[in-house]
Amino acid sequence: MKGFLNAYRKGIADYRAVMLNQKKDPAATEAMVDVIHKYVYTSRPRAKAAPSIKAGAVYMTEDAALDIADLKRQLAWFQAHGFAPKALTTEKYIDTSFVKK
């Protein structure tokens, strides 16, 4: 598990370096889009998939940690709109047993 988490953190760092500020290094962004396109929107030609991949860039912390407070806010929103049961808690769907706290 430790090896996976280290590789995952490296991947997140590489992703953050180019996808969170795509204007900083357009060539690096295009290279990252190429990598992502191997797994996302694969049924679309790369040219048609690229705008969606770029627009879908998501924020992740540098150490690839979950933002539990944000997940709690999201759950509250889903519950307020009837999309998640009121009995659901973050403790029931987030397993933090394998990461440092």
Side-chain angles (χ1 to χ4, degrees), residues 3 9 18 23 25 28 32 37 40 44-46 55 59 62 69 78-79 81 86 90-91 94 96 99-100:
R9 285 184 189 103
V18 297
K23 294 179 182 179
D25 188 346
M32 182 64 72
H37 184 244
V40 177
R44 299 182 196 173
R46 193 252 189 230
Y59 175 82
E62 286 183 34
F78 278 97
Q79 289 170 327
H81 291 85
K86 296 285 185 192
T90 53
E91 290 77 18
I94 300 172
T96 60
V99 294
K100 295 178 186 175

Side-chain angles (χ1 to χ4, degrees), residues 33-48:
V33 168
D34 289 341
V35 171
I36 293 169
H37 184 244
K38 292 178 186 178
Y39 307 98
V40 177
Y41 302 118
T42 57
S43 62
R44 299 182 196 173
R46 193 252 189 230
K48 290 195 179 218

